[in-house]
Amino acid sequence: MRSPVLPLTWHLARSSGRRGLQSQLLAAGAAAVGAFVLLVMIAACAGSGTRADRTAWRSPEPARDGTAVQALATTYVRHEPLTVVSLAQLPGRPPTPAPPGLAAFPRQGEMYVSPALAKLLDRLPARQLADRFPRVREYGTIGAAGLASPDELVAVVGRDPADPALSEAAADSASWFDEDQAARAVVAGFSSGKVSLFTAPDGTMALLGVVLLGMPVMVLAAAAGRLGAARREQRLAALRLAGATPRQILAMTALEAAAVGAAGALTGALAYLALLPVLARVPYGIGSWYTAELWVGLPWLAAVVAAVTVLITVSAVSMLRQVATSPLGVAQQADPRRTRWIRAAVFVAAMACVFRSTGGGELKPRQLLGLLVLFYGAFWLFGPWVVDRLGRIVGRFARRPATLLAARRLSDDPRGAWRTVSGLVLAGFAAGFFSVSQIGADAAQYRDQVAVITESGAQARHTAAEARAVLARSGVTATVTVAREDEFGNLLAGSPGLIVRISGGSGGTERLDTAVTALTPLARVHAPYTRDYATAYERASIDRIGEVSTATLALSFLVATASAGLTAAANVLDRRRVYGLLRLAGTPLRVLDRARARETVLPLVVLAGGTTAMGVYGSYQLNKAVGATIDATGALRLAACVVVGALAMVAAIGAGRPLLRRVTADPARTTD
């Protein structure tokens, strides 16, 4: 006998009317947003790995039968890193293959630059940048295969093997701050596995963003599965009372939810494909992306679509437990949803475990991951309890009808209210912490300074006079000091050389770049460097953490806005009978609308605002302990993101006002 599940599901979906179609469209929209966000974050992870691999060739890999000398150096212009790779073919050795992105191995006197560096060389005066390099008639171009980003500044210079830039002293730990910014070796090719300092942390930080956004996306998918739940429960409860089996009820729900979820997830995947060129322009780390780096591939695309579809289906089916076991209770709308004190007790115990574990020393990655899961799980369990108590407290002290109605809804369904804001609550702590964190070397004392390393103290005294002369010719006012070799508190960190302090005039960045360029011919051992060079190792990770945290908070607001807006609209459809009864009782429409908005705003402000403030406070205490300061730029980004996100949340909730007006236009018919 043919199963009636499929035709009956199709018939009920078609006969659900305009309001049923609206719920399905809202669920599909939520699935689309979830799939889109997941694909973007996965693309960032995969793209970070690809762009890091493209920088590995610059780090020289020593070879026993080497054919060329390669040296890596790093300088800075406009506070941006500029990677300089010097190459020289050794005489009498087999030809060395061309580096990635170059058509041939560069001969002596040839120079290849990235497109971004070529534009900068044309735009800036030669005394600020071009004079740092050998003079050539024209520059070659480094292709995408040798670059991690279209915005990356890279130069490849062909030199003589005896050139000082290729000497062992030029990259043999001449400076305390050389780690991963300078190296030299005799090589046979370009197959190094060591990626650039400026791309190494990208993948890990992007993975952190995926972990932080995983919960909000799951919440959104769960909310999509629950859209129209009240209406579906009533309809399927009637079928259950009419004789349908629990298996048939669950199969019908799964089919409907899977179809809606798959349609929405496919829409999100198509949106991701269409917006790839736009996403590639979003800067991360060293700059924007090549479009191909953000393509996740068909397997990942299919996996995300399937995962979102499964999440929505499981969420929808899990809501039907009461329909299958107690259809009469659902039909009578008898569904008390109180929370118990055990949630608070478990939360306190979990937090005590987290704080105790983190205070005992360094932890392994698996332990940190376990503590992160425990932290999020504790908040997930604790959230509905807080919403329940918040509703009761607000209801006790409410002085306005709208606030009283909102409080009653919070205490009647705390789990539903928590699901609306939970993603943002869980992401708020991490974003608040990392956005303003500034752990690492502040190096404020190195501002407007240039360090020039020499071979000895005697040479430093001789070079000081030359430095004063070239700086005067370049129009830079500066004080040149010969540092003591036993002095470690300056930018030289114990190396012999000069400290040049720039002073006077406006345009500090231009004066600093001009000074570095003027001093480059005098630096025979090591290229002149500034504070940017000294703090590069710490900033490479700290800046990525700040960027990922801000992006996580922004995407969390996108997900939470979609979740809040869709849930608010679905609640209007599900509660149309309640709203109709309230309208018949004389409740003004504006009171219902305010109550609907406050039902989301109250837990959002208390919970999301509270966890974000906790993150900022935790970052402040940690920075205070290590003697660092709050990152003002990160704090401003965080504040701007919170303000814009809050306005977007309010706008999403307000978008349901026309729907509320429509469903209560004829209250007598709505309550029928």
Side-chain angles (χ1 to χ4, degrees):
M1 183 177 178
R2 183 183 178 184
S3 173
V5 171
L6 184 59
L8 185 56
T9 303
W10 174 247
H11 172 74
L12 292 176
R14 290 181 57 190
S15 61
S16 60
R18 185 175 60 182
R19 290 170 182 168
L21 179 61
Q22 289 172 339
S23 295
Q24 293 168 354
L25 290 176
L26 290 173
V33 172
F36 176 80
V37 171
L38 274 181
L39 285 170
V40 169
M41 295 308 298
I42 293 173
C45 283
S48 296
T50 301
R51 72 187 335 189
D53 291 340
R54 289 184 176 181
T55 65
W57 66 272
R58 303 168 197 169
S59 298
E61 183 74 21
R64 179 176 300 177
D65 300 321
T67 59
V69 182
Q70 178 183 356
L72 169 69
T74 306
T75 185
Y76 287 78
V77 57
R78 294 295 188 269
H79 301 294
E80 295 295 328
L82 194 168
T83 302
V84 181
V85 179
S86 297
L87 294 170
Q89 175 70 39
L90 291 175
R93 304 289 178 88
T96 307
L102 274 67
F105 189 90
R107 296 191 297 269
Q108 181 180 348
E110 291 184 337
M111 181 172 170
Y112 294 80
V113 298
S114 63
L117 179 56
K119 294 179 181 178
L120 200 60
L121 287 167
D122 291 338
R123 182 163 56 89
L124 295 182
R127 61 189 179 90
Q128 292 184 17
L129 179 58
D131 289 347
R132 302 183 194 183
F133 304 106
R135 294 187 179 274
V136 296
R137 287 183 296 179
E138 61 178 350
Y139 300 112
T141 301
I142 303 175
L147 300 173
S149 165
D151 301 329
E152 196 177 18
L153 304 178
V154 182
V156 178
V157 183
R159 300 182 186 270
D160 184 88
D163 193 291
L166 293 171
S167 65
E168 295 185 7
D172 188 16
S173 300
S175 169
W176 175 267
F177 309 107
D178 279 348
E179 187 171 6
D180 295 335
Q181 295 190 86
R184 184 261 187 197
V186 177
V187 301
F190 303 94
S191 58
S192 172
K194 188 174 184 180
V195 301
S196 168
L197 164 69
F198 307 105
T199 58
D202 290 1
T204 303
M205 295 302 107
L207 182 60
L208 173 64
V210 172
V211 172
L212 295 177
L213 277 172
M215 187 63 72
V217 171
M218 291 179 62
V219 170
L220 180 61
R226 291 177 172 90
L227 289 174
R231 183 177 178 277
R232 187 188 298 128
E233 284 180 350
Q234 292 294 317
R235 184 183 65 189
L236 296 179
L239 290 174
R240 181 78 174 88
L241 291 172
T245 64
R247 180 177 298 179
Q248 290 173 329
I249 294 295
L250 295 177
M252 292 169 60
T253 302
L255 283 173
E256 181 181 355
V260 173
L266 283 173
T267 302
L270 292 176
Y272 155 76
L273 288 173
L275 293 175
L276 267 180
V278 178
L279 294 173
R281 298 179 183 177
V282 178
Y284 173 58
I286 57 175
S288 58
W289 307 75
Y290 290 106
T291 304
E293 293 174 343
L294 294 180
W295 167 237
V296 298
L298 288 177
W300 273 112
L301 200 72
V304 169
V305 171
V308 172
T309 302
V310 169
L311 280 173
I312 291 177
T313 304
V314 171
S315 175
V317 171
S318 66
M319 291 292 293
L320 296 181
R321 182 178 55 185
Q322 273 194 300
V323 176
T325 59
S326 181
L328 187 57
V330 172
Q332 293 176 345
Q333 296 185 347
D335 185 21
R337 299 180 180 180
R338 297 297 182 185
T339 57
R340 299 182 180 181
W341 283 93
I342 187 63
R343 291 174 176 265
V346 172
F347 175 78
V348 172
M351 289 298 99
C353 179
V354 170
F355 286 121
R356 183 176 181 181
S357 300
T358 53
E362 187 175 352
L363 297 175
K364 296 180 180 179
R366 291 185 179 180
Q367 293 174 317
L368 289 173
L369 181 60
L371 289 176
L372 182 62
V373 172
L374 179 62
F375 180 82
Y376 274 6
F379 261 104
W380 184 260
L381 189 67
F382 185 55
W385 184 86
V386 176
V387 173
D388 191 1
R389 268 57 190 179
L390 176 64
R392 298 184 188 185
I393 293 172
V394 172
R396 182 176 302 174
F397 296 99
R399 294 294 182 266
R400 297 180 180 276
T403 306
L404 182 61
L405 287 173
R408 180 61 186 271
R409 285 300 310 169
L410 290 177
S411 59
D412 282 350
D413 187 13
R415 296 178 184 85
W418 162 250
R419 285 191 294 267
T420 304
V421 301
S422 58
L424 197 59
V425 170
L426 297 175
F429 179 85
F433 181 87
F434 291 117
S435 294
V436 299
S437 178
Q438 190 166 302
I439 304 172
D442 179 35
Q445 70 272 23
Y446 302 151
R447 183 178 181 182
D448 293 333
Q449 293 185 19
V450 181
V452 180
I453 296 179
T454 58
E455 294 179 355
S456 64
Q459 186 184 11
R461 288 187 290 272
H462 175 72
T463 307
E466 297 181 73
R468 294 186 184 97
V470 297
L471 290 172
R473 287 196 298 268
S474 300
V476 177
T477 303
T479 302
V480 180
T481 305
V482 177
R484 299 195 311 269
E485 295 186 32
D486 59 348
E487 185 180 356
F488 292 88
N490 56 30
L491 197 56
L492 288 168
S495 299
L498 311 174
I499 296 293
V500 179
R501 295 175 173 85
I502 312 299
S503 61
S506 58
T509 302
E510 290 79 4
R511 287 186 288 112
L512 198 64
D513 289 339
T514 302
V516 171
T517 305
L519 294 169
T520 296
L522 306 181
R524 300 176 180 86
V525 176
H526 190 286
Y529 60 91
T530 62
R531 177 177 63 168
D532 296 317
Y533 191 93
T535 60
Y537 193 82
E538 291 85 359
R539 298 308 314 176
S541 297
I542 295 172
D543 290 346
R544 299 302 182 276
I545 290 175
E547 291 174 359
V548 167
S549 300
T550 303
T552 298
L553 188 59
L555 289 176
S556 296
F557 266 118
L558 172 64
V559 174
T561 299
S563 179
L566 295 172
T567 303
N571 286 341
V572 171
L573 296 175
D574 289 342
R575 301 173 190 169
R576 62 186 182 276
R577 184 171 182 273
V578 176
Y579 286 136
L581 291 173
L582 289 172
R583 290 287 286 131
L584 286 175
T587 306
L589 183 62
R590 65 177 181 275
V591 173
L592 297 179
D593 187 53
R594 291 173 182 172
R596 186 179 60 86
R598 292 173 188 177
E599 182 183 339
T600 301
V601 171
L602 283 174
L604 180 66
V605 171
V606 174
L607 294 172
T611 53
T612 303
M614 286 172 57
V616 173
Y617 178 75
S619 178
Y620 169 76
Q621 291 296 330
L622 184 58
N623 287 347
K624 184 178 178 180
V626 299
T629 58
I630 288 292
D631 184 0
T633 303
L636 290 175
R637 285 198 304 263
L638 176 64
C641 191
V642 168
V643 171
V644 173
L647 293 176
M649 291 281 289
V650 172
I653 297 170
R657 188 177 298 113
L659 185 60
L660 176 64
R661 186 181 299 111
R662 191 180 305 120
V663 300
T664 58
D666 188 1
R669 181 179 178 183
T670 302
T671 57
D672 187 7

